[in-house]
Amino acid sequence: MPEPPSEAGDGSAYAELRERFGEISDLGRARALLAWDERTMMPPGGAAARAEQTATLVRVRHERLTSDDLGRLLEGLRDWSEGLEYDSNEACMIRAALREWEKARRVPGDLRAELARAASIGETAWETARRESDYAAFVPHLERNLELARRYAECFEGFEDVGSAYDALLDDYEPGMRTAEMRALLGRLRDGLRPLLEAVRAADQVDDAPLHGAFPVEIQRELMRELASALPLEPGSWRLDESTHPFSTSIGEGDVRITTRHDPAYIGAALWSVLHEAGHGIYEAGTDPALRRTPIGHPVSLGFHESQSRLWENWVGRGRAYIEWLHPRLAAAFPDQLGGATAEDLFRAANRVEPSLIRVEADELTYNLHIALRFELELELIEGELELAELPQAWNARMAAYLGVEVPDDARGVLQDVHWAAGAFGYFPTYALGNLIAAQLWELAGAEIAELDAQVRAGELAPLREWLGRRLYRHGAKFMPRELAERVLGGSFEVAPLVRHLEHKLGEVYRLD
Amino acid sequence: MPEPPSEAGDGSAYAELRERFGEISDLGRARALLAWDERTMMPPGGAAARAEQTATLVRVRHERLTSDDLGRLLEGLRDWSEGLEYDSNEACMIRAALREWEKARRVPGDLRAELARAASIGETAWETARRESDYAAFVPHLERNLELARRYAECFEGFEDVGSAYDALLDDYEPGMRTAEMRALLGRLRDGLRPLLEAVRAADQVDDAPLHGAFPVEIQRELMRELASALPLEPGSWRLDESTHPFSTSIGEGDVRITTRHDPAYIGAALWSVLHEAGHGIYEAGTDPALRRTPIGHPVSLGFHESQSRLWENWVGRGRAYIEWLHPRLAAAFPDQLGGATAEDLFRAANRVEPSLIRVEADELTYNLHIALRFELELELIEGELELAELPQAWNARMAAYLGVEVPDDARGVLQDVHWAAGAFGYFPTYALGNLIAAQLWELAGAEIAELDAQVRAGELAPLREWLGRRLYRHGAKFMPRELAERVLGGSFEVAPLVRHLEHKLGEVYRLD
């Protein structure tokens, strides 16, 4: 590889770049620890100080990321990096750094501060509005967030092929993804799943009683620790805690943290959240160590990230093979609660479809329809095609059309999610994209790992983890998601594999034709 | 108060200073959380990444603290602050900030990095050397640390009244304290305690069997939580965890964290470490909220800090009144282990004196002799009066002279503490200074709180906490320790109160006429 241009004397500009991004990465990871601690360990009295500490770390990191010095350093390395092999870590790192620097520089500090402030105020207002099911009280905050989101999007005029406000917003969560493609994917997905939902609703219903009952939390804790330990996570490099909303975070190499929650009346809450969050963690842990503390040392996008949580939760965790492995363990921990339920009963219970009001409680099929609805509405809001005054009606009408459910109040309707309250427009569709990617990967895994099913049934998950690591995890964020899809999925994002997967599984569960 | 000089337009330079020190404080607190997490929660796999994250936070904080900008800002405020009332928060803050800035600026970045590196290498080498009781292998590291400490001290030539290398080192832990005063205090303390130790050794020995036995850790945990909850710590603003070496830290206002350790064969390990660490935490939590996120928003020195851990551990926790309150609780948790021990038996057991090899296991009397020995030796090393080759012999000779114990090997002798391995010379004497201050404060508290003894016996610790808060805690680091001693103790540091305290308590325990 050609020598990198030198800034002065024997110091290499590339080494200097590594150094600077190492610091930027450390500041981001320290902030992740503050956030993890806030949600799992912090005494409530520490909240005000923690908000200030977090704001400082975010600001200091941002200052370093957007500095003139760093810009000059990157410019100086641009030509050199273009002479390197496209796939080399160095070339990928400089490409990613240039993109990150430019995106960060386009947003004035004032606007960024305003966005953070409005998000924080919006979240607080949303908590009250949701509690009181008072959409009207929430409208001014939503209006403010929308206005700021449009102003934010304007900063990206002329950036790459960004052609609309929603393009710009989406790019923060799924770099390079554009509205037109997302609209086409989610439209096809919605249309592809609705006949399946019809068929399921017409079939004999499935009994999920084995998952409900009295599940003492102490025993749940022990079982979850056992299940997590059986996942392909390196011993001594992760921990499992509890939080109101389960989440996953990576504090640095060798330090993945996942959380779960225990519902004493439903074992599923803990069971599949452990698998879901562990999926995120397995992906984080799989990045090539050579990329750590660089701008590409992490999963590439929210869509790919969610593909791994879903893959481990739904394709592994709700698949027949894993449930056959799980069944004796669950029965040993909860003999009475499980009654005489067989592995087959458990498999059917785990895959029960039930259109319902709340996204985070939705089953594997209807979840995607929740997302399609949110995507359509937030796109219309950003594009000014839908007035805020009409949002609840539009929400309720689409809930009836897509899911066949009646929304009784806004708390269980348009006010249920925090995303818009926090100014996060463009985030929702990555959840469904994750399902598409998971389905595509699973078909490939099935074709390439001869004994996959038998391995999972025996609780041998390492081969799948190895395959995913080689195929996806190790790349970190070296390539843009679209490029990664070409390399990893052998093409573009597709709807058909997810529809096939659900048709096949639900066909068995509901004994369709 | 006169208007502060303005930097530009309507921005006040003082507000700018607050802002900058707010960030510096936040970076320090974030680092404290990283350290707490490392010792209580972090999976072992995260160690390497954590070291880098910590180094980055320390470096970024240091850069901000030593910036030219901050220096100019402070210079611009110097005259203004000298026109303010001496005791005002603003004047105190600027005085402290100027001192901190100057101290930080005097040390070249290279030397600081070298000190950190040598400390880290030294600690690792020490772990092996201690394990293998191999002093010779440790000598090169100690030599390196000593050389660097002397170079560090040279940076402070002409700083205030610093007149020697040890003066400069001591100042980092006990600002304004000088070698001559410390030497006089510890010499008098050593000489004052040796006759008492003779008398105790000649008396009938005390039985501490009630504290030893089989104490199931689960029950210890519950009891410690109960005892900590009964201390004057605000509910919802602290937590208690476990670590190999108990410690205390403050992550920010309303967020104090203490740790303990459980020895399944000795209840005292947990009991008095909870009180000790809580003492540190109670002091941290007591700083005037108006001082938070400033250079004076924390306890003033290690000596004062240790005075509070010792006061709650030994004056409260090993006092007869508290033990009378504790006795029924301990007996309820461990009825069999305590046998028929009365409160008086427990009081005597808690105050047993036994000259021993290891400082951290020493009793309240001999602990001070351990410190006197370390102080004398490290002073002689820094001043070049003692060769490293002769250090173990000097250690062993003084152990025999002061404590009457024979040192069987260097692991239990000169290699037992980490301080010198980490380059911390000047730290040890603050432990004994803390005992002096605690004794002085306790005499004042007894004179000013009429019902102190009865309150403690009833478990009412809030009045003592209030008194200490008004007297000491609220000041944070507004004044130099010497000034604070004038205001809080009504004079200078003194040896007599500690000697009186030990003579009185051990007189009862050992029934010395």
Side-chain angles (χ1 to χ4, degrees), chain A residues 23 26 37 41-43 45-46 50 52-53 56 59 63-64 236 239 251 253-255 257 292-293, chain B residues 23 26 37 41-43 45-46 50 52-53 56 59 63-64 236 239 251 253-255 257 292-293:
Chain A
E23 284 193 347
D26 288 338
D37 180 80
M41 299 289 159
M42 187 184 77
R50 181 56 49 87
E52 285 165 333
Q53 292 154 3
T56 290
R59 193 168 51 245
E63 270 175 31
R64 302 212 154 210
R239 48 178 297 141
I251 310 298
E253 202 191 0
D255 189 353
R257 304 192 180 190
R292 71 194 193 81
R293 297 178 83 235
Chain B
E23 284 193 345
D26 288 339
D37 180 80
M41 299 288 159
M42 187 184 78
R50 181 57 47 88
E52 286 165 331
Q53 293 153 3
T56 291
R59 192 168 51 243
E63 269 175 31
R64 300 211 156 211
R239 50 177 296 142
I251 310 299
E253 203 191 359
D255 189 353
R257 307 196 177 186
R292 69 196 193 81
R293 296 178 83 234

Side-chain angles (χ1 to χ4, degrees), chain A residues 428-450:
Chain A
F428 279 125
T430 64
Y431 291 133
L433 182 64
N435 288 333
L436 301 184
I437 299 171
Q440 290 182 264
L441 276 168
W442 191 257
E443 287 194 351
L444 287 167
E448 296 188 11
I449 310 175

Side-chain angles (χ1 to χ4, degrees), chain B residues 318-380:
Chain B
R318 284 190 168 89
R320 183 178 262 118
Y322 183 81
I323 286 187
E324 286 178 9
W325 174 85
L326 175 67
H327 178 259
R329 287 161 179 84
L330 200 57
F334 298 109
D336 298 340
Q337 295 85 336
L338 230 57
T342 63
E344 180 66 19
D345 295 336
L346 199 57
F347 168 66
R348 298 188 75 205
N351 289 289
R352 180 168 184 259
V353 170
E354 175 76 44
S356 65
L357 292 164
I358 306 297
R359 174 182 61 85
V360 297
E361 296 167 3
D363 58 77
E364 198 178 339
L365 190 164
T366 61
Y367 190 89
N368 298 289
L369 300 173
H370 280 274
I371 296 305
L373 173 155
R374 283 157 180 74
F375 165 71
E376 293 167 16
L377 295 178
E378 71 178 12
L379 178 57
E380 290 167 28

